[in-house]
């Protein structure tokens, strides 16, 4: 029997999130199940939202050390009410990862993965071992470091699904915010390959430099006094009428719609009470800004603002298309879909308060990789 530790998150009714390690045993119980030794898994923003929920990181409490360490942080009464469904439930976390199959069920497909390096999805990756269905694994090329395969799904599949969504809506170019992130860099490389114009919104000049270095043509700085004019010009040059916004709150979505309208109506001589008839769409897929979304409707009536999630999009695209996209990702893990990491830490270090304050800041272009076997 294989044993190892895994990370757990518990939100109590008295308003405290507690993170701790739990010892578990692992073995395949079904013909199509495998046991994977987890060797690399990223700390994605979506993973952090599950780990810490709405806790106040500034008020961390730490007890014990090593695998006995326990970290806790308070949650406001309002946030506890919004999280009622997870109260008292010990939650696993970690959407994706990579490692080596060390045990397999009896089916031929599971046995074929024994000893292979694989990328995985299915949650609970912040652990030393993971039991899962072999269909949630994808064999990696021989000799590839698991670090290259760890972030194989969330960001690469999101980038590909963005373009599928764009094409479905009849758009020919797009706007992307938080564009210097790992996802943003992948999306730019992908758009360059596909010959698609992308308008990148960043927050400072250092982020502009990151994108310029990989060949991005249209990069605008939201901190510049000329931001609205710059964004309007870039949209006019590209014809972008769809945007994918990672910020969620604040004025960004409304600003993008307004700039799209300005670009579409530039040079028109006749007044139209209802604005341009050309559809304008902003999809919100993140919550980097947790403040309310502010919309000033100065962009006519042909517009839409909605949420966007990867999983429902893949379901809509269908199993055949998803498999096609998966295979494309795995072929290009060291090129188009390569991820970079600010730091690599052990599973135990995930509960080190110094590291928590660094990775929980969720800074654009900075990501931590967890090495559970370290």
């Amino acid at each position: 029997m294989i044993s190892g530790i895994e990370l757990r998150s518990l939100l109590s009714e008295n308003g405290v999130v507690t993170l701790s390690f739990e010892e578990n045993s692992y073995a395949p119980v079904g013909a199509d199940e495998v046991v994977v030794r987890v060797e690399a898994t990223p700390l994605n923003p979506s993973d952090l939202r599950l780990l810490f929920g709405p806790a106040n990181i500034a008020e961390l409490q730490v007890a014990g050390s090593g695998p006995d360490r326990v970290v806790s942080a308070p949650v406001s009464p309002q946030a506890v009410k919004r999280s009622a469904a997870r109260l008292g439930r010990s939650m696993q976390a970690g959407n994706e990862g990579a490692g080596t199959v060390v045990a397999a069920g009896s089916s031929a497909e599971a046995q074929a993965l024994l000893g292979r390096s694989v990328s995985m999805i299915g949650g609970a990756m912040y652990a030393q071992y993971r039991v899962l269905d072999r269909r949630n694994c994808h064999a990696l090329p021989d000799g590839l470091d698991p670090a290259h395969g760890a972030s194989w799904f969330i960001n690469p599949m999101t980038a590909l699904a963005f373009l599928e969504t764009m094409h479905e809506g009849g758009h020919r170019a797009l706007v992307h915010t938080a564009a210097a992130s790992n996802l943003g860099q992948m999306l730019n490389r992908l758009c360059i390959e596909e010959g698609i114009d992308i308008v990148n919104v960043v927050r400072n000049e250092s982020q502009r430099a990151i994108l310029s270095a990989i060949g991005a043509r249209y990069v605008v700085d939201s901190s510049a006094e000329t931001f609205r004019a710059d964004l309007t010009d870039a949209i006019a040059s590209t014809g972008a009428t769809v945007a994918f916004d990672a910020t969620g709150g604040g004025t960004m979505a409304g600003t993008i719609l307004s700039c799209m309208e300005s670009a579409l109506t530039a040079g028109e001589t006749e007044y139209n009470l209802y604005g341009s008839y050309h559809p304008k769409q902003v999809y919100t897929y993140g919550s980097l800004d947790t403040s309310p979304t502010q919309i000033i409707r100065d962009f006519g009536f042909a517009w839409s603002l909605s949420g966007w999630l990867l999983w429902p999009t893949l379901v809509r695209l269908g199993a055949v298309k998803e498999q096609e996209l998966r295979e494309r990702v795995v072929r290009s893990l060291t090129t188009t879909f390569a991820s970079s990491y600010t730091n690599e830490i052990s599973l135990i270090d995930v509960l080190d308060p110094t590291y928590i304050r660094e990775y929980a800041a969720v800074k654009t272009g900075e990501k931590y990789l967890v090495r559970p076997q370290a």
Side-chain angles (χ1 to χ4, degrees), residues 78-89:
Q78 295 80 7
V80 170
K81 290 180 180 178
R82 294 194 299 270
S83 305
R86 65 167 292 186
L87 291 179
R89 298 177 59 193

Side-chain angles (χ1 to χ4, degrees), residues 223-244:
S223 67
E225 292 183 3
T226 57
F227 172 56
R228 289 182 70 98
D230 295 340
L231 181 57
T232 301
D233 288 345
I235 290 172
S237 296
T238 60
T241 49
V242 63
F244 296 90

Side-chain angles (χ1 to χ4, degrees), residues 261 265 268-277 300-301:
E261 179 73 1
T265 57
E268 290 188 358
T269 57
E270 294 185 11
Y271 172 71
N272 186 340
L273 175 65
Y274 302 104
S276 168
Y277 291 148
F301 284 78

Side-chain angles (χ1 to χ4, degrees), residues 12-66:
S12 65
E13 293 185 359
N14 63 350
V16 176
V17 165
T18 301
L19 277 67
S20 61
F21 296 106
E22 182 177 300
E23 183 83 19
N24 277 322
S25 297
Y26 304 86
V29 296
D32 277 321
E33 287 190 326
V34 295
V35 180
V36 181
R37 183 176 64 236
V38 184
E39 294 164 351
T41 176
L43 284 162
N44 290 314
S46 57
D47 299 316
L48 299 182
R49 284 197 293 273
L50 178 57
L51 275 179
F52 292 97
N56 184 352
I57 303 298
E59 297 183 30
L60 281 178
Q61 298 291 321
V62 182
S65 61

Side-chain angles (χ1 to χ4, degrees), residues 3-347:
S3 64
I5 59 170
E6 65 180 25
L7 183 58
R8 294 278 187 151
S9 174
L10 175 68
L11 174 59
S12 65
E13 293 185 359
N14 63 350
V16 176
V17 165
T18 301
L19 277 67
S20 61
F21 296 106
E22 182 177 300
E23 183 83 19
N24 277 322
S25 297
Y26 304 86
V29 296
D32 277 321
E33 287 190 326
V34 295
V35 180
V36 181
R37 183 176 64 236
V38 184
E39 294 164 351
T41 176
L43 284 162
N44 290 314
S46 57
D47 299 316
L48 299 182
R49 284 197 293 273
L50 178 57
L51 275 179
F52 292 97
N56 184 352
I57 303 298
E59 297 183 30
L60 281 178
Q61 298 291 321
V62 182
S65 61
D68 297 319
R69 178 176 289 150
V70 176
V71 170
S72 59
V75 177
S76 70
Q78 295 80 7
V80 170
K81 290 180 180 178
R82 294 194 299 270
S83 305
R86 65 167 292 186
L87 291 179
R89 298 177 59 193
S90 181
M91 308 287 290
Q92 300 164 297
N95 281 313
E96 60 186 341
T100 303
V101 177
V102 294
S106 59
S107 75
E109 293 84 358
Q111 285 291 315
L113 292 175
L114 191 59
R116 294 292 306 273
S117 290
V118 296
S119 290
M120 306 172 283
I121 54 170
M125 298 298 167
Y126 298 153
Q128 292 178 323
Y129 294 91
R130 178 71 169 91
V131 179
L132 71 168
D133 191 288
R134 56 93 183 167
R135 285 172 284 261
N136 287 335
C137 298
H138 201 110
L140 293 171
D142 291 339
L144 191 72
D145 189 307
H148 291 298
S151 295
W152 78 290
F153 196 87
I154 303 299
N155 284 343
M157 294 292 279
T158 295
L160 287 166
F162 278 174
L163 297 193
E164 294 292 332
T165 301
M166 181 193 77
H167 292 311
E168 285 180 337
H171 306 280
R172 61 185 177 89
L174 69 152
V175 178
H176 184 227
T177 66
S181 64
N182 269 276
L183 168 59
Q185 293 176 53
M186 288 181 191
L187 185 58
N188 269 273
R189 290 192 290 263
L190 182 60
C191 285
I192 291 170
E193 287 182 12
E194 300 276 324
I196 295 170
D197 283 332
I198 175 172
V199 178
N200 299 279
V201 179
V202 298
R203 292 181 296 174
N204 53 54
E205 285 300 312
S206 63
Q207 293 177 357
R208 180 196 295 273
I210 291 172
L211 293 176
S212 296
I214 61 175
R217 182 178 178 186
Y218 301 97
V219 185
V220 294
D221 184 352
S222 63
S223 67
E225 292 183 3
T226 57
F227 172 56
R228 289 182 70 98
D230 295 340
L231 181 57
T232 301
D233 288 345
I235 290 172
S237 296
T238 60
T241 49
V242 63
F244 296 90
D245 175 33
T247 61
T251 61
M252 182 59 73
T255 298
I256 293 171
L257 289 167
S258 181
C259 292
M260 285 179 177
E261 179 73 1
S262 295
L264 288 166
T265 57
E268 290 188 358
T269 57
E270 294 185 11
Y271 172 71
N272 186 340
L273 175 65
Y274 302 104
S276 168
Y277 291 148
H278 197 109
K280 301 169 289 296
Q281 171 75 55
V282 174
Y283 291 104
T284 295
Y285 74 95
S287 302
L288 295 179
D289 185 340
T290 57
S291 67
T293 302
Q294 302 174 46
I295 297 291
I296 299 174
R297 285 185 50 193
D298 58 354
F299 37 75
F301 284 78
W303 63 277
S304 181
L305 171 64
S306 60
W308 188 96
L309 289 171
L310 175 60
W311 301 104
T313 302
L314 293 177
V315 170
R316 188 183 73 250
L317 292 173
V320 173
K321 172 58 74 170
E322 179 180 340
Q323 184 63 24
E324 175 189 318
L325 299 182
R326 284 191 186 198
E327 291 173 357
R328 180 173 180 180
V329 170
V330 171
R331 288 196 302 269
S332 303
L333 281 172
T334 60
T335 52
T336 306
F337 301 112
S339 291
S340 59
Y341 301 100
T342 303
N343 202 356
E344 295 187 7
I345 59 176
S346 70
L347 185 59

